[in-house]
Amino acid sequence: MKQQTKLIQAGRGKKWTGQAVNPPVVRASTITFDSMAELAHASQHKGDRVPYYGRRGTATHFAFQEAICELEGGAGCALYPCGAAAVSGALLSFLQHGDHLLMVDTVYEPTRALCEKILRPMGVETEYYDPMIGAGIERLLRPNTKAIFLESPGSLTMEVQDVPAICNIARAKGVITLLDNTWASPILCRPFELGVDISIQAATKYIVGHSDVMLGTASANEQYWPQLREHSYILGYCASADDVYQASRGLRTLGVRLAQHQQNALKIASWIEQRPEVEAVRHPAFASNPGHEFFVRDFSGSNGLFSFVLRQGGAKAVAAFVEGMQYFKMGFSWGGYESLISPTLNVQKLRTASQWPYSGPLIRLHIGLEDPEDLIADLEQAFSRFKAALLA
Ligand SMILES: *Cc1c(COP(=O)(O)O)cnc(C)c1O
């Protein structure tokens, strides 16, 4: 089955949908049983998409979990109220006092905050590594290294990691690998084929796709699924049936949306690259992007998210750029149908184990589904405001 067909079929077996096209929204805390035997059966199979208690999910959740497994390739998928909860839930399901965690230096900022503010006081030591380390990760392994956390491409700066090189070494040493796979969504790369043990999605982004629901997933291979499932359940992570329904719905158009995001973003990134004010474009599909060769090898395409670095400019000039946009809205998150803009003045401040090569400000864009000509006109005016502010 081709991927676009899989996106339409996944999680839509009659078992979940009945005679309808979509699985229904089944809201429940209590699940009721008619007999001791039924209760015993549910208790034995409570991790296998058999209704047991609301926190373990209903048919709405089971259909979506099945779909994510089919798309990403995991043995099972746990659901969380947001992407940040999926990150914390997956890490807390495996880490204990005394463990050493290797964390990519370009990780999503709240994940770094989790390591520093929650894990470190609990006795888990996080050591950050250069995103381009590849097989060099071996030098950082210690006897107590429990897990390696990857995010590829890196948040904001888009370095693409050599995921298989890192996972090969980790697997040989019995170290768990977790990948924040949000940028790729469940369809632009196959994390389990690259050797990853646990793949995390902020479903909030492209899966939901409409900037109106928060949801997270963590999928695991056969080896780690039982512990991920049980420990996340014990920690109390769950998601509402209404939100999961919206995510299921988002999956059906994920392929066509991503194709359009990709096309629009490539067009706009190429236009930006020609601008004299721009020092560099960070887009994984561009040959100049660190790890581009791994992108070509491991990904089937790109999306609407990329960044660029201006040659110069302080807070005032950057404000002139990002304020007064007609279509690009300023705000966090990405993956919806709309365009977003987000400035970062000091990238180096966000990392400790690698050198950021530029001194100018960085601007991250999420390119939505608007007509790219309109978006380019919007950016053209932003560059004019920026230039005027530099001269003022
Ligand atoms: C947004 C994001 C998250 C967190 O997701 P939320 O649903 O906002 O909690 C985690 N990782 C990455 C890479 C993200 O972009």
Side-chain angles (χ1 to χ4, degrees):
M1 203 193 296
K2 297 264 196 278
Q3 194 170 61
Q4 186 58 47
T5 310
K6 208 188 265 185
L7 278 170
I8 302 304
Q9 296 290 323
R12 281 187 49 236
K14 264 222 150 116
K15 179 177 167 195
W16 308 128
T17 62
Q19 285 180 290
V21 173
N22 293 298
V25 178
V26 181
R27 303 174 56 96
S29 54
T30 301
I31 305 293
T32 59
F33 305 96
D34 287 336
S35 66
M36 294 272 289
E38 247 186 45
L39 180 66
H41 174 83
S43 176
Q44 268 162 28
H45 295 277
K46 62 194 173 204
D48 311 327
R49 300 176 193 145
V50 173
Y52 175 76
Y53 178 54
R55 190 154 19 107
R56 288 206 186 258
T58 64
T60 313
H61 304 81
F62 302 151
F64 179 67
Q65 288 167 309
E66 187 179 290
I68 294 295
C69 288
E70 279 180 38
L71 293 165
E72 269 199 317
C77 168
L79 301 180
Y80 304 84
C82 65
V87 169
S88 71
L91 285 170
L92 291 169
S93 290
F94 293 96
L95 292 170
Q96 292 177 354
H97 182 91
D99 285 342
H100 176 234
L101 168 67
L102 287 168
M103 173 64 63
V104 65
D105 202 26
T106 45
V107 77
Y108 178 64
E109 179 61 11
T111 301
R112 184 182 278 261
L114 171 80
C115 295
E116 296 309 314
K117 296 186 174 161
I118 308 278
L119 297 180
R120 198 175 294 281
M122 282 171 49
V124 173
E125 185 189 348
T126 301
E127 181 178 351
Y128 298 91
Y129 66 88
D130 188 313
M132 305 319 295
I133 200 166
I137 196 88
E138 188 154 22
R139 289 192 305 275
L140 300 182
L141 293 179
R142 302 180 193 168
N144 64 335
T145 304
K146 174 66 76 64
I148 303 174
F149 194 101
L150 306 90
E151 183 181 325
S152 180
S155 266
L156 293 181
T157 49
M158 301 290 160
E159 295 87 347
V160 182
Q161 295 192 244
D162 190 347
V163 174
I166 292 174
C167 291
N168 273 339
I169 285 163
R171 188 153 296 178
K173 305 272 183 189
V175 172
I176 308 167
T177 50
L178 305 98
L179 169 71
D180 185 331
N181 193 34
T182 300
W183 190 89
S185 87
I187 63 171
L188 296 178
C189 100
R190 304 269 303 160
F192 296 98
E193 287 172 16
L194 301 180
V196 168
D197 295 316
I198 295 171
S199 174
I200 294 161
Q201 291 283 343
T204 308
K205 308 287 166 58
Y206 280 122
I207 295 175
V208 165
H210 293 72
S211 305
D212 53 0
V213 170
M214 310 224 46
L215 190 71
T217 71
S219 305
N221 58 16
E222 292 283 353
Q223 186 182 354
Y224 293 110
W225 169 237
Q227 183 164 335
L228 177 70
R229 181 189 71 208
E230 282 315 297
H231 287 197
S232 292
Y233 177 74
I234 291 166
L235 285 162
Y237 288 107
C238 56
S240 105
D242 301 271
D243 292 347
V244 172
Y245 178 83
Q246 296 296 344
S248 261
R249 207 170 195 257
L251 282 180
R252 311 310 166 196
T253 56
L254 179 62
V256 288
R257 283 187 285 114
L258 272 182
Q260 194 64 47
H261 282 292
Q262 164 172 262
Q263 192 182 319
N264 291 1
L266 286 172
K267 183 167 186 178
I268 291 167
S270 301
W271 180 82
I272 287 174
E273 200 182 31
Q274 302 305 316
R275 295 290 311 193
E277 303 88 347
V278 170
E279 171 100 41
V281 169
R282 283 292 177 104
H283 187 307
F286 279 35
S288 58
N289 197 74
H292 171 69
E293 64 274 32
F294 310 130
F295 173 77
V296 171
R297 184 190 62 193
D298 300 338
F299 288 72
S300 59
S302 57
N303 62 24
L305 193 74
F306 71 93
S307 300
F308 62 95
V309 185
L310 293 159
R311 290 190 193 281
Q312 55 173 324
K316 254 188 151 155
V318 171
F321 194 111
V322 299
E323 292 174 4
M325 306 293 296
Q326 193 175 357
Y327 303 115
F328 286 89
K329 305 295 177 203
M330 201 180 349
F332 297 109
S333 199
W334 45 271
Y337 53 81
E338 82 290 8
S339 289
L340 294 170
I341 188 163
S342 159
T344 303
L345 291 177
N346 187 345
V347 174
Q348 186 62 49
K349 208 175 69 183
L350 303 174
R351 54 180 74 197
T352 52
S354 54
Q355 198 58 41
W356 173 244
Y358 308 110
S359 58
L362 175 140
I363 295 191
R364 188 183 74 182
L365 297 179
H366 177 254
I367 304 300
L369 302 177
E370 302 91 345
D371 190 306
E373 296 296 334
D374 287 331
L375 297 178
I376 286 175
D378 205 10
L379 289 165
E380 195 143 31
Q381 291 190 17
F383 278 113
S384 299
R385 288 192 303 270
F386 174 73
K387 274 194 296 193
L390 284 179
L391 294 172

